[in-house]
Amino acid sequence: MFKPGKKIEFKSAKEIPLTPMSLGDMTHNYTGSWRNLRPEIDYDRCIDCMICWKFCPEPAIFIENDRPKIDYYFCKGCGICVQECPVKCIAFEEEGK
Amino acid sequence: MKKVLMGNHAISYGATLSRVQVIAAYPITPQTQVVELLSEIVANGELDAEFIKVESEHSAMAACIGASAAGARAFTATSSQGLLLMHEVLHWASRARLPIVMANINRAISPGWTIWTDQNDSLSQRDTGWMQIYTADNQEVLDSIIIGYKVAEKVSIPLMIVLDAFVLSHTYEPVDVPDQEKIDKFLPPYKPKIKLDPEDPHAFGGLTAPNIYMEFQYNHQQAMMEAKKIINEVGKEYGDITGRYYQNLSPYKVDDAEYVVITTGTISKTTNIVVDKLRDSGVKIGNLRIRTLRPFPSEEIYEQLKGKKKVFVIDRNISFGNTGIFFQEVKASLYNTDIRVPIFGFVTGLGGRDVTPELIEEIVNIGIKNEKPEEEVIWMGVKK
């Protein structure tokens, strides 16, 4: 499952590359904090079709024990899974409620 | 080998000798022959390069950026409105620190619709982070392209070679085209410091937050200041193999002069004739040609102007609402020094109007006669 990467920090102009470029991965960057609406799967109704997993653009849905699971560290709450779920088992709840 | 070449073809030969690998260009008068000849050279198999036809100058520079980022030696050429259309991507090329070399043929800006020379096109790109070299004859044009790649690749900053429309671009002069072997030794294949590489993937130019953006700008500026020295060093190295030395400044009879005319481009060659004539009648005058606008060789200009009585700057350009642009640059660079002599700013030759020896002599006479300039901008040869 999720393992955050190391954030690269530069202390001075001497350390930086010639031009802005990616040097590590972005797993330290928890884009899940951007989320206003939180998708939640009702596993009693979920048929494990994995359509949500296929459609998630981030991808913030992974498969664990043959079931889809949402990674809230990175889910931005776009709602595509909510829209695409054929049995409508993903609910969209307001964050902070 | 000596050839009789127009300025535009001198550029093409310079690029060919530099073994450029990607050429992306869009035709515009007076630049067209540059890429016409290059396309023939590539089609004949004399140069192993990709020639990319594009739909605009913006795309031409964008293609050069992609090629350079992938590690290729990239070249383009343009002029006037074409250069202006490139403006946005010029910034991208320099801030991405890509050593692209381009030729810009100075053509005035429209309207009124024009194809003749003045410097406002390249000068309006002054702050794009590119180096800019202003040339004065076709030999210098060819040599400067080759030197340009070596300088650009050393400091990782793109470089623009600038020449006057028609006065150079379409005028034939004898030009020594150096042997490829000699140039290969001087300019080995480009070894990029960083590049787009599937074996070592990175994304370039991504989001750069306030906590680190400024450090990239600082490094760019440091590299630019370093380039002042590099341009002179590489110019000397080139001179040692060809006998033709190029520096940031090209002084003519300045050493013992009391009065100095500051010029750029082909006007400086005409000014040398005037200097000789006035010297014959006992006027101690010299001509200081500025080749490098960016980085601006302030310290060297100070050394040249130390102890002089008066300075006359001739600008073939105008910054509306202020003065000629080289005049501003020279004045600003001297402000924190002990030089406190009158500096006169003349604007002339816009839109390709001839700048004759008589006109330059008139400029010098105005400067010598008047204690200090009566106007901030002295327009010469204008029907007021």
Side-chain angles (χ1 to χ4, degrees):
Chain A
M1 212 210 123
F2 169 68
K3 203 173 132 230
K6 198 170 167 263
K7 188 175 181 178
I8 299 169
E9 297 211 40
F10 298 105
K11 288 194 180 69
S12 79
K14 286 186 189 73
E15 296 176 7
I16 59 175
L18 191 59
T19 185
M21 63 191 282
S22 63
L23 291 172
D25 62 37
M26 291 296 283
T27 51
H28 59 273
N29 194 13
Y30 299 153
T31 48
S33 65
W34 304 4
R35 194 175 55 237
N36 291 324
L37 295 167
R38 177 186 178 91
E40 294 206 29
I41 302 171
D42 176 353
Y43 285 101
D44 290 341
R45 290 162 54 216
C46 173
I47 57 171
D48 302 327
C49 67
M50 305 301 170
I51 285 195
C52 58
W53 169 78
K54 282 178 190 159
F55 273 84
C56 177
E58 277 309 307
I61 298 179
F62 58 99
I63 300 168
E64 197 175 63
N65 301 327
D66 298 327
R67 306 215 78 178
K69 203 167 172 194
I70 296 171
D71 185 338
Y72 293 108
Y73 282 111
F74 297 105
C75 166
K76 293 173 184 169
C78 70
I80 289 174
C81 56
V82 178
Q83 183 69 31
E84 296 297 334
C85 176
V87 294
K88 301 290 168 209
C89 77
I90 308 178
F92 229 4
E93 304 290 347
E94 241 177 272
E95 282 289 349
K97 265 198 173 172
Chain B
M1 189 189 13
K2 286 257 184 195
K3 277 182 189 266
V4 178
L5 294 181
M6 65 163 80
N8 279 344
H9 287 170
I11 299 171
S12 318
Y13 279 102
T16 305
L17 285 166
S18 303
R19 293 193 188 274
V20 297
Q21 294 160 297
V22 173
I23 301 156
Y26 190 82
I28 182 170
T29 301
Q31 155 266 31
T32 309
Q33 292 128 334
V34 177
V35 280
E36 248 172 22
L37 181 58
L38 277 171
S39 73
E40 281 175 33
I41 290 173
V42 173
N44 292 345
E46 294 164 50
L47 175 67
D48 185 17
E50 286 294 321
F51 190 96
I52 307 174
K53 284 172 282 182
V54 287
E55 76 286 3
S56 77
E57 286 83 358
H58 190 279
S59 309
M61 183 47 63
C64 285
I65 288 171
S68 186
R73 189 171 279 161
F75 178 79
T76 189
T78 191
S79 185
S80 188
Q81 315 293 133
L83 183 68
L84 303 186
L85 185 57
M86 267 184 198
H87 179 75
E88 185 235 346
V89 263
L90 289 179
H91 280 281
W92 190 279
S94 78
R95 283 163 164 82
R97 304 291 301 275
L98 300 170
I100 299 161
V101 170
M102 72 177 291
N104 179 67
I105 292 115
N106 268 151
R107 162 181 148 180
I109 296 169
S110 303
W113 196 243
T114 169
I115 52 172
W116 295 276
T117 197
D118 79 34
Q119 299 171 322
N120 265 99
D121 58 349
S122 56
L123 288 174
S124 59
Q125 311 309 318
R126 184 190 61 177
D127 299 335
T128 52
W130 281 59
M131 295 183 277
Q132 283 197 4
I133 307 274
Y134 288 75
T135 56
D137 60 48
N138 290 350
Q139 182 70 61
E140 186 185 351
V141 168
L142 181 147
D143 294 333
S144 298
I145 299 279
I146 300 165
I147 297 170
Y149 275 107
K150 184 140 186 173
V151 172
E153 288 166 13
K154 268 180 189 266
V155 295
S156 302
I157 295 175
L159 188 145
M160 190 186 298
I161 300 295
V162 185
L163 58 146
D164 293 349
F166 300 105
V167 186
L168 288 187
S169 70
H170 287 63
T171 302
Y172 283 80
E173 290 183 330
V175 174
D176 173 49
V177 181
D179 293 339
Q180 183 71 60
E181 226 174 278
K182 214 189 247 183
I183 298 307
D184 284 347
K185 244 187 234 168
F186 171 79
L187 182 69
Y190 172 42
K191 281 204 197 95
K193 293 176 187 127
I194 51 170
K195 65 168 183 173
L196 289 170
D197 182 0
E199 300 299 317
D200 178 26
H202 295 280
F204 289 90
L207 188 71
T208 308
N211 67 345
I212 200 67
Y213 180 88
M214 208 164 145
E215 282 65 27
F216 286 102
Q217 315 307 301
Y218 175 79
N219 284 351
H220 190 159
Q221 163 74 354
Q222 295 299 105
M224 209 35 141
M225 297 312 250
E226 173 78 4
K228 290 190 198 187
K229 202 178 72 191
I230 305 280
I231 292 168
N232 284 341
E233 281 173 8
V234 176
K236 187 185 173 296
E237 194 189 326
Y238 188 80
D240 290 343
I241 61 161
T242 60
R244 296 184 294 273
Y245 292 85
Y246 298 100
Q247 302 284 290
N248 289 312
L249 299 178
S250 173
Y252 184 72
K253 301 192 177 174
V254 170
D255 278 354
D256 66 333
E258 293 178 344
Y259 307 107
V260 177
V261 189
I262 293 189
T263 54
T264 52
T266 52
I267 288 178
S268 73
K269 290 294 168 104
T270 317
T271 303
N272 288 350
I273 298 167
V274 177
V275 165
D276 286 343
K277 188 188 163 199
L278 291 171
R279 284 250 168 194
D280 285 344
S281 57
V283 183
K284 282 192 150 181
I285 187 153
N287 173 25
L288 180 62
R289 174 161 76 96
I290 299 178
R291 287 185 74 244
T292 311
L293 169 69
R294 281 293 178 274
F296 196 67
S298 308
E299 301 83 356
E300 292 172 63
I301 288 176
Y302 170 78
E303 290 302 326
Q304 293 289 334
L305 297 183
K306 224 168 35 179
K308 308 301 178 197
K309 277 188 181 163
K310 282 177 190 173
V311 178
F312 320 132
V313 184
I314 304 179
D315 269 297
R316 195 169 216 161
N317 61 77
I318 176 77
S319 172
F320 296 124
N322 201 356
T323 63
I325 292 165
F326 282 95
F327 178 50
Q328 295 169 27
E329 295 278 336
V330 170
K331 279 195 302 179
S333 75
L334 296 175
Y335 187 81
N336 283 334
T337 72
D338 54 12
I339 291 181
R340 282 294 171 266
V341 298
I343 305 178
F344 294 65
F346 298 90
V347 168
T348 192
L350 302 185
R353 186 166 296 182
D354 281 338
V355 181
T356 61
E358 293 74 27
L359 187 89
I360 294 169
E361 201 174 333
E362 209 183 313
I363 285 174
V364 172
N365 286 333
I366 289 173
I368 293 177
K369 262 186 216 134
N370 292 282
E371 205 174 310
K372 48 182 194 181
E374 282 172 5
E375 295 167 285
E376 195 61 0
V377 186
I378 305 165
W379 286 76
M380 295 301 294
V382 70
K383 299 156 198 151
K384 275 188 192 166

Coordinates of all heavy atoms in Angstrom, one line a residue, chain A residues 7-24 26 29 34, chain B residues 95-97 155-156 193-194 201-208 211-212 215-216 218-219:
Chain A
K7 N 10.6 14.0 0.2 CA 10.6 15.4 -0.4 C 12.0 15.9 -0.5 O 12.7 15.9 0.5 CB 9.7 16.3 0.4 CG 9.4 17.6 -0.2 CD 8.4 18.5 0.6 CE 8.2 19.7 -0.2 NZ 7.2 20.6 0.5
I8 N 12.3 16.4 -1.8 CA 13.7 16.9 -1.9 C 13.6 18.4 -1.7 O 12.8 19.1 -2.2 CB 14.2 16.6 -3.4 CG1 14.3 15.1 -3.6 CG2 15.6 17.3 -3.6 CD1 14.5 14.8 -5.1
E9 N 14.5 18.9 -0.8 CA 14.5 20.3 -0.5 C 15.9 20.8 -0.7 O 16.9 20.2 -0.4 CB 14.1 20.5 1.0 CG 12.7 20.1 1.2 CD 12.0 20.9 2.3 OE1 12.1 22.1 2.3 OE2 11.3 20.2 3.1
F10 N 16.0 22.0 -1.3 CA 17.2 22.6 -1.6 C 17.5 23.8 -0.7 O 16.6 24.6 -0.4 CB 17.2 23.2 -3.1 CG 17.1 22.1 -4.1 CD1 15.8 21.9 -4.7 CD2 18.1 21.2 -4.4 CE1 15.7 20.9 -5.7 CE2 17.9 20.2 -5.3 CZ 16.7 20.1 -6.0
K11 N 18.8 23.9 -0.2 CA 19.1 24.9 0.7 C 19.6 26.2 0.0 O 19.5 27.3 0.6 CB 20.1 24.4 1.7 CG 19.5 23.4 2.7 CD 20.4 23.2 3.9 CE 19.8 22.2 4.9 NZ 19.7 20.8 4.3
S12 N 20.2 26.0 -1.1 CA 20.8 27.2 -1.8 C 20.8 27.0 -3.3 O 20.6 25.9 -3.8 CB 22.2 27.5 -1.3 OG 23.1 26.6 -2.0
A13 N 21.1 28.1 -4.0 CA 21.2 28.1 -5.5 C 22.2 27.2 -6.0 O 22.2 26.8 -7.1 CB 21.4 29.6 -6.0
K14 N 23.2 26.9 -5.1 CA 24.3 26.0 -5.6 C 23.9 24.6 -5.7 O 24.5 23.8 -6.5 CB 25.5 26.1 -4.5 CG 26.3 27.4 -4.6 CD 27.5 27.3 -3.7 CE 28.1 28.7 -3.6 NZ 27.4 29.6 -2.7
E15 N 22.8 24.2 -5.0 CA 22.4 22.8 -5.0 C 21.4 22.5 -6.1 O 21.2 21.3 -6.4 CB 21.7 22.5 -3.7 CG 22.6 22.6 -2.5 CD 21.8 22.4 -1.2 OE1 20.6 22.0 -1.3 OE2 22.4 22.6 -0.1
I16 N 20.7 23.5 -6.7 CA 19.6 23.2 -7.6 C 20.1 22.8 -9.0 O 21.2 23.1 -9.3 CB 18.6 24.4 -7.7 CG1 19.4 25.7 -8.2 CG2 18.0 24.7 -6.4 CD1 18.4 26.8 -8.5
P17 N 19.3 22.1 -9.7 CA 19.7 21.7 -11.1 C 19.7 22.9 -12.0 O 19.3 24.0 -11.6 CB 18.7 20.7 -11.5 CG 17.5 20.9 -10.6 CD 18.0 21.5 -9.3
L18 N 20.2 22.7 -13.2 CA 20.3 23.8 -14.2 C 19.0 24.5 -14.4 O 18.9 25.7 -14.6 CB 20.9 23.2 -15.5 CG 21.3 24.1 -16.6 CD1 22.4 25.1 -16.1 CD2 21.8 23.3 -17.8
T19 N 17.9 23.7 -14.5 CA 16.6 24.2 -14.8 C 15.6 23.4 -14.0 O 15.9 22.3 -13.6 CB 16.3 24.0 -16.3 OG1 15.1 24.7 -16.6 CG2 16.3 22.6 -16.8
P20 N 14.4 23.9 -13.6 CA 13.5 23.1 -12.8 C 13.2 21.8 -13.5 O 12.8 21.7 -14.6 CB 12.3 24.0 -12.8 CG 12.8 25.4 -13.0 CD 14.0 25.3 -13.9
M21 N 13.5 20.7 -12.8 CA 13.2 19.4 -13.3 C 12.8 18.4 -12.2 O 13.2 18.7 -11.0 CB 14.4 18.8 -14.0 CG 15.7 18.7 -13.1 SD 17.2 18.3 -14.1 CE 17.0 16.6 -14.5
S22 N 12.1 17.4 -12.5 CA 11.7 16.4 -11.5 C 12.9 15.6 -11.1 O 13.6 15.1 -12.0 CB 10.6 15.5 -12.1 OG 11.1 14.8 -13.2
L23 N 13.1 15.4 -9.8 CA 14.2 14.6 -9.4 C 13.8 13.4 -8.5 O 14.5 12.4 -8.4 CB 15.2 15.5 -8.6 CG 15.9 16.5 -9.4 CD1 16.7 17.4 -8.6 CD2 16.9 15.8 -10.4
G24 N 12.6 13.5 -8.0 CA 12.1 12.4 -7.2 C 10.6 12.1 -7.6 O 10.2 12.7 -8.6
M26 N 6.4 12.1 -6.6 CA 5.5 13.2 -6.0 C 4.7 12.6 -4.8 O 3.7 13.2 -4.4 CB 4.6 13.8 -7.0 CG 5.4 14.6 -8.0 SD 6.1 16.1 -7.3 CE 4.7 17.1 -7.1
N29 N 3.5 14.5 -1.9 CA 2.6 15.6 -2.2 C 1.1 15.1 -2.0 O 0.5 14.6 -3.0 CB 2.8 16.1 -3.6 CG 2.2 17.4 -3.8 OD1 1.7 18.1 -2.9 ND2 2.1 17.8 -5.1
W34 N -6.8 18.4 -1.2 CA -7.5 19.4 -2.0 C -9.0 19.0 -2.0 O -9.8 19.8 -2.5 CB -7.1 19.3 -3.5 CG -5.6 19.5 -3.7 CD1 -4.6 19.7 -2.8 CD2 -4.9 19.6 -5.0 NE1 -3.4 19.9 -3.4 CE2 -3.6 19.8 -4.8 CE3 -5.4 19.4 -6.3 CZ2 -2.6 19.9 -5.8 CZ3 -4.4 19.5 -7.3 CH2 -3.1 19.8 -7.1
Chain B
R95 N 15.1 30.3 -20.0 CA 14.9 29.9 -18.6 C 15.0 28.3 -18.5 O 15.3 27.8 -17.4 CB 13.6 30.3 -18.1 CG 13.6 31.8 -17.7 CD 12.2 32.4 -17.6 NE 12.3 33.7 -16.9 CZ 12.6 34.8 -17.5 NH1 12.9 34.9 -18.7 NH2 12.5 36.0 -16.8
A96 N 14.8 27.6 -19.6 CA 15.1 26.2 -19.6 C 16.6 25.9 -19.8 O 17.0 24.8 -19.8 CB 14.3 25.5 -20.7
R97 N 17.4 27.0 -20.0 CA 18.8 27.0 -20.1 C 19.3 26.1 -21.3 O 20.2 25.3 -21.2 CB 19.5 26.5 -18.8 CG 19.0 27.4 -17.6 CD 19.6 28.8 -17.7 NE 21.0 28.8 -17.7 CZ 21.8 28.8 -16.6 NH1 21.3 28.7 -15.4 NH2 23.1 28.8 -16.8
V155 N 27.8 28.1 -21.2 CA 27.1 28.7 -20.1 C 25.6 28.3 -20.1 O 24.9 28.8 -19.2 CB 27.2 30.3 -20.2 CG1 28.6 30.7 -20.1 CG2 26.6 30.8 -21.6
S156 N 25.2 27.4 -21.0 CA 23.8 27.0 -21.0 C 22.8 28.1 -21.1 O 21.8 28.2 -20.3 CB 23.5 26.1 -19.8 OG 24.3 25.0 -19.8
K193 N 24.3 19.0 -20.6 CA 24.4 18.8 -19.2 C 23.2 18.0 -18.6 O 23.4 17.2 -17.7 CB 24.6 20.1 -18.4 CG 25.9 20.8 -18.8 CD 26.1 22.2 -18.2 CE 27.3 22.9 -18.7 NZ 27.0 24.2 -19.2
I194 N 22.1 18.4 -19.1 CA 20.8 17.6 -18.8 C 20.1 17.4 -20.1 O 20.2 18.3 -21.0 CB 20.0 18.3 -17.7 CG1 19.7 19.7 -18.1 CG2 20.6 18.2 -16.3 CD1 18.6 20.4 -17.3
P201 N 14.5 9.1 -17.0 CA 13.4 10.1 -17.2 C 13.2 11.2 -16.2 O 13.3 10.9 -14.9 CB 12.1 9.2 -17.2 CG 12.5 8.0 -16.5 CD 14.0 7.8 -16.6
H202 N 13.0 12.4 -16.6 CA 12.7 13.5 -15.8 C 11.7 14.4 -16.5 O 11.7 14.4 -17.7 CB 13.9 14.4 -15.5 CG 15.0 13.7 -14.7 ND1 14.9 13.5 -13.3 CD2 16.2 13.1 -15.1 CE1 16.0 12.9 -12.9 NE2 16.8 12.6 -14.0
A203 N 10.9 15.1 -15.7 CA 10.0 16.1 -16.3 C 10.7 17.5 -16.1 O 11.3 17.8 -15.1 CB 8.7 16.1 -15.6
F204 N 10.7 18.3 -17.2 CA 11.4 19.6 -17.1 C 10.3 20.8 -17.1 O 9.3 20.7 -17.6 CB 12.2 19.8 -18.4 CG 13.5 18.9 -18.4 CD1 13.4 17.7 -18.9 CD2 14.6 19.4 -17.7 CE1 14.6 16.9 -18.9 CE2 15.8 18.6 -17.7 CZ 15.7 17.3 -18.3
G205 N 10.7 21.8 -16.3 CA 10.0 23.0 -16.3 C 8.7 23.0 -15.6 O 7.7 23.7 -15.8
G206 N 8.6 22.1 -14.6 CA 7.4 21.9 -13.8 C 7.2 23.1 -12.8 O 8.0 24.0 -12.8
L207 N 6.1 22.9 -12.1 CA 5.7 24.0 -11.1 C 6.9 24.3 -10.2 O 7.5 23.4 -9.6 CB 4.5 23.5 -10.3 CG 3.9 24.5 -9.4 CD1 3.2 25.6 -10.2 CD2 2.9 23.9 -8.4
T208 N 7.2 25.5 -10.1 CA 8.4 26.0 -9.2 C 7.9 27.0 -8.3 O 7.5 28.1 -8.7 CB 9.5 26.5 -10.1 OG1 9.8 25.6 -11.2 CG2 10.8 26.8 -9.3
N211 N 9.5 29.3 -3.0 CA 10.6 29.0 -2.2 C 11.9 28.6 -3.0 O 13.0 28.5 -2.4 CB 10.3 27.9 -1.2 CG 10.0 26.6 -1.9 OD1 9.8 26.6 -3.1 ND2 10.0 25.5 -1.2
I212 N 11.7 28.4 -4.3 CA 12.9 28.0 -5.1 C 13.0 28.7 -6.4 O 14.1 28.7 -7.1 CB 13.0 26.5 -5.2 CG1 14.4 26.0 -5.5 CG2 12.0 26.0 -6.2 CD1 15.4 26.2 -4.5
E215 N 16.0 31.3 -7.0 CA 17.3 30.7 -7.1 C 17.7 30.4 -8.5 O 18.8 30.5 -8.9 CB 17.5 29.5 -6.2 CG 17.7 29.9 -4.7 CD 16.5 30.5 -4.0 OE1 15.4 30.3 -4.5 OE2 16.7 31.3 -3.1
F216 N 16.7 29.9 -9.3 CA 16.9 29.6 -10.7 C 17.3 30.9 -11.5 O 18.1 31.0 -12.3 CB 15.7 28.9 -11.3 CG 15.6 27.5 -10.9 CD1 14.7 27.1 -9.9 CD2 16.4 26.5 -11.5 CE1 14.6 25.8 -9.5 CE2 16.3 25.2 -11.1 CZ 15.4 24.8 -10.1
Y218 N 18.6 33.6 -10.1 CA 19.9 34.0 -9.7 C 21.0 33.3 -10.4 O 21.9 33.9 -10.9 CB 20.0 33.7 -8.2 CG 21.3 34.0 -7.6 CD1 21.7 35.3 -7.3 CD2 22.2 33.0 -7.3 CE1 23.0 35.6 -6.7 CE2 23.5 33.2 -6.8 CZ 23.9 34.5 -6.5 OH 25.1 34.8 -6.0
N219 N 20.8 32.0 -10.6 CA 21.8 31.2 -11.3 C 21.9 31.6 -12.8 O 23.0 31.7 -13.4 CB 21.5 29.7 -11.2 CG 21.9 29.1 -9.9 OD1 22.5 29.8 -9.1 ND2 21.5 27.9 -9.6

